[in-house]
PDB file of all heavy atoms in Angstrom:
ATOM      1  N   LEU S  34      -4.762   2.867  14.571  1.00  0.00           N
ATOM      2  CA  LEU S  34      -3.930   3.959  14.086  1.00  0.00           C
ATOM      3  C   LEU S  34      -4.318   4.178  12.633  1.00  0.00           C
ATOM      4  O   LEU S  34      -4.129   3.296  11.794  1.00  0.00           O
ATOM      5  CB  LEU S  34      -2.447   3.617  14.187  1.00  0.00           C
ATOM      6  CG  LEU S  34      -1.500   4.622  13.535  1.00  0.00           C
ATOM      7  CD1 LEU S  34      -1.551   5.953  14.274  1.00  0.00           C
ATOM      8  CD2 LEU S  34      -0.092   4.084  13.495  1.00  0.00           C
ATOM      9  N   ALA S  35      -4.908   5.330  12.348  1.00  0.00           N
ATOM     10  CA  ALA S  35      -5.297   5.663  10.973  1.00  0.00           C
ATOM     11  C   ALA S  35      -4.206   6.522  10.359  1.00  0.00           C
ATOM     12  O   ALA S  35      -3.746   7.488  10.969  1.00  0.00           O
ATOM     13  CB  ALA S  35      -6.628   6.401  10.969  1.00  0.00           C
ATOM     14  N   ARG S  36      -3.773   6.159   9.148  1.00  0.00           N
ATOM     15  CA  ARG S  36      -2.727   6.894   8.442  1.00  0.00           C
ATOM     16  C   ARG S  36      -3.271   7.397   7.119  1.00  0.00           C
ATOM     17  O   ARG S  36      -3.852   6.638   6.359  1.00  0.00           O
ATOM     18  CB  ARG S  36      -1.517   5.990   8.189  1.00  0.00           C
ATOM     19  CG  ARG S  36      -0.906   5.442   9.460  1.00  0.00           C
ATOM     20  CD  ARG S  36       0.244   4.476   9.213  1.00  0.00           C
ATOM     21  NE  ARG S  36       0.028   3.416   8.253  1.00  0.00           N
ATOM     22  CZ  ARG S  36      -0.590   2.263   8.509  1.00  0.00           C
ATOM     23  NH1 ARG S  36      -1.126   2.037   9.685  1.00  0.00           N
ATOM     24  NH2 ARG S  36      -0.691   1.340   7.583  1.00  0.00           N
ATOM     25  N   GLY S  37      -3.073   8.677   6.862  1.00  0.00           N
ATOM     26  CA  GLY S  37      -3.459   9.268   5.590  1.00  0.00           C
ATOM     27  C   GLY S  37      -2.226   9.409   4.712  1.00  0.00           C
ATOM     28  O   GLY S  37      -1.152   9.760   5.197  1.00  0.00           O
ATOM     29  N   TYR S  38      -2.371   9.155   3.421  1.00  0.00           N
ATOM     30  CA  TYR S  38      -1.231   9.097   2.509  1.00  0.00           C
ATOM     31  C   TYR S  38      -1.206  10.247   1.508  1.00  0.00           C
ATOM     32  O   TYR S  38      -2.209  10.920   1.285  1.00  0.00           O
ATOM     33  CB  TYR S  38      -1.236   7.754   1.767  1.00  0.00           C
ATOM     34  CG  TYR S  38      -0.805   6.615   2.646  1.00  0.00           C
ATOM     35  CD1 TYR S  38      -1.690   6.006   3.512  1.00  0.00           C
ATOM     36  CD2 TYR S  38       0.515   6.178   2.633  1.00  0.00           C
ATOM     37  CE1 TYR S  38      -1.273   4.972   4.337  1.00  0.00           C
ATOM     38  CE2 TYR S  38       0.933   5.144   3.455  1.00  0.00           C
ATOM     39  CZ  TYR S  38       0.036   4.546   4.301  1.00  0.00           C
ATOM     40  OH  TYR S  38       0.436   3.532   5.128  1.00  0.00           O
ATOM     41  N   GLN S  39      -0.045  10.430   0.893  1.00  0.00           N
ATOM     42  CA  GLN S  39       0.186  11.506  -0.070  1.00  0.00           C
ATOM     43  C   GLN S  39      -0.745  11.441  -1.273  1.00  0.00           C
ATOM     44  O   GLN S  39      -1.146  12.456  -1.808  1.00  0.00           O
ATOM     45  CB  GLN S  39       1.635  11.470  -0.574  1.00  0.00           C
ATOM     46  CG  GLN S  39       2.646  11.871   0.457  1.00  0.00           C
ATOM     47  CD  GLN S  39       4.066  11.657  -0.033  1.00  0.00           C
ATOM     48  OE1 GLN S  39       4.323  10.738  -0.813  1.00  0.00           O
ATOM     49  NE2 GLN S  39       4.972  12.499   0.430  1.00  0.00           N
ATOM     50  N   LYS S  40      -1.087  10.240  -1.710  1.00  0.00           N
ATOM     51  CA  LYS S  40      -1.918  10.090  -2.912  1.00  0.00           C
ATOM     52  C   LYS S  40      -3.386   9.817  -2.588  1.00  0.00           C
ATOM     53  O   LYS S  40      -4.129   9.348  -3.438  1.00  0.00           O
ATOM     54  CB  LYS S  40      -1.350   8.995  -3.804  1.00  0.00           C
ATOM     55  CG  LYS S  40       0.027   9.347  -4.350  1.00  0.00           C
ATOM     56  CD  LYS S  40       0.543   8.294  -5.289  1.00  0.00           C
ATOM     57  CE  LYS S  40       1.920   8.673  -5.817  1.00  0.00           C
ATOM     58  NZ  LYS S  40       2.474   7.615  -6.670  1.00  0.00           N
ATOM     59  N   GLY S  41      -3.809  10.100  -1.347  1.00  0.00           N
ATOM     60  CA  GLY S  41      -5.219  10.056  -1.019  1.00  0.00           C
ATOM     61  C   GLY S  41      -5.743   8.834  -0.311  1.00  0.00           C
ATOM     62  O   GLY S  41      -6.905   8.809   0.071  1.00  0.00           O
ATOM     63  N   GLY S  42      -4.946   7.811  -0.121  1.00  0.00           N
ATOM     64  CA  GLY S  42      -5.423   6.601   0.556  1.00  0.00           C
ATOM     65  C   GLY S  42      -5.380   6.739   2.068  1.00  0.00           C
ATOM     66  O   GLY S  42      -4.661   7.573   2.618  1.00  0.00           O
ATOM     67  N   ILE S  43      -6.160   5.908   2.754  1.00  0.00           N
ATOM     68  CA  ILE S  43      -6.196   5.864   4.214  1.00  0.00           C
ATOM     69  C   ILE S  43      -6.170   4.407   4.640  1.00  0.00           C
ATOM     70  O   ILE S  43      -6.877   3.574   4.069  1.00  0.00           O
ATOM     71  CB  ILE S  43      -7.464   6.541   4.767  1.00  0.00           C
ATOM     72  CG1 ILE S  43      -7.460   8.028   4.408  1.00  0.00           C
ATOM     73  CG2 ILE S  43      -7.577   6.354   6.275  1.00  0.00           C
ATOM     74  CD1 ILE S  43      -8.741   8.738   4.754  1.00  0.00           C
ATOM     75  N   VAL S  44      -5.348   4.096   5.660  1.00  0.00           N
ATOM     76  CA  VAL S  44      -5.293   2.750   6.230  1.00  0.00           C
ATOM     77  C   VAL S  44      -5.430   2.879   7.737  1.00  0.00           C
ATOM     78  O   VAL S  44      -4.763   3.707   8.354  1.00  0.00           O
ATOM     79  CB  VAL S  44      -3.964   2.042   5.891  1.00  0.00           C
ATOM     80  CG1 VAL S  44      -3.874   0.694   6.596  1.00  0.00           C
ATOM     81  CG2 VAL S  44      -3.804   1.865   4.403  1.00  0.00           C
ATOM     82  N   ALA S  45      -6.297   2.072   8.334  1.00  0.00           N
ATOM     83  CA  ALA S  45      -6.428   2.001   9.783  1.00  0.00           C
ATOM     84  C   ALA S  45      -5.956   0.624  10.225  1.00  0.00           C
ATOM     85  O   ALA S  45      -6.451  -0.390   9.745  1.00  0.00           O
ATOM     86  CB  ALA S  45      -7.870   2.245  10.212  1.00  0.00           C
TER      87      ALA S  45
END
Side-chain angles (χ1 to χ4, degrees):
L34 172 66
R36 300 176 311 278
Y38 286 82
Q39 290 173 328
K40 295 183 180 176
I43 296 173
V44 175

